[in-house]
Amino acid sequence: MQLEGSCHCGAVAYTVTAHEPVPYMRCYCSICRKTAGTGGYAINLGADRRTLKVRGEDHLAVYRARLEDGGTSTGERNFCRHCGTALWLYDPTWPDLVHPHAGAVDTPLSRAPDVTHMMLEFKPDWVDAHVRPADDTFDDYPKESLAEWHRRHRLES
């Protein structure tokens, strides 16, 4: 599925082909919450990095999160340097993938039949995790990958 996305101020826009385009996972870790600021969590999709085309690339900035152990994350969180919109995550550990933030996608996305809530041990008390009966919950990382979840639900594009 071809996705189009953009930042709030319009300085950056992108297109990318996503094979895992259903926003099914909500991450409540402090990095996702604080860099994306979306309802106390972030939702990332799976896309083919080779297809990423960016307009306004000179308006991008990258943040690499500091980790609790004093190290730095390998993940590169790309955002608009003007309005701060979180756009996508790229991690060279998985060089073929890029993970657009669902909140910055302009293309209509399908609703997930169930949601995976991860990193719940880091969820602040003010955030209500709206867990439906079919949803999976994890204090840390989930058992299945983004691609495996989409295959199980036959939602690959």
Side-chain angles (χ1 to χ4, degrees), residues 12-97:
V12 180
Y14 68 89
T15 61
V16 68
T17 300
H19 300 289
E20 289 93 27
V22 177
Y24 83 99
M25 186 184 298
R26 297 179 182 178
C27 180
Y28 297 85
C29 81
S30 64
I31 299 168
C32 286
R33 284 187 292 106
K34 292 184 178 205
T35 60
T38 54
Y41 55 81
I43 301 171
N44 294 329
L45 308 172
D48 183 344
R49 182 171 180 257
R50 296 168 298 184
T51 67
L52 180 64
K53 293 182 178 35
V54 181
R55 180 189 53 78
E57 195 165 359
D58 54 323
H59 300 289
L60 285 174
V62 172
Y63 174 68
R64 291 185 58 215
R66 288 179 286 187
L67 304 175
E68 288 181 8
D69 66 6
T72 303
S73 170
T74 56
E76 300 171 4
R77 296 169 189 292
N78 290 258
F79 64 95
C80 173
R81 70 174 65 244
H82 302 291
C83 66
T85 300
L87 296 163
W88 64 82
L89 170 76
Y90 168 71
D91 192 321
T93 307
W94 300 278
D96 297 335
L97 299 174

Side-chain angles (χ1 to χ4, degrees), residues 109-125:
L109 299 171
S110 299
R111 183 173 179 196
D114 55 65
V115 174
T116 298
H117 301 266
M118 67 179 271
M119 301 291 191
L120 283 166
E121 71 176 281
F122 303 104
K123 181 187 76 59
D125 289 340

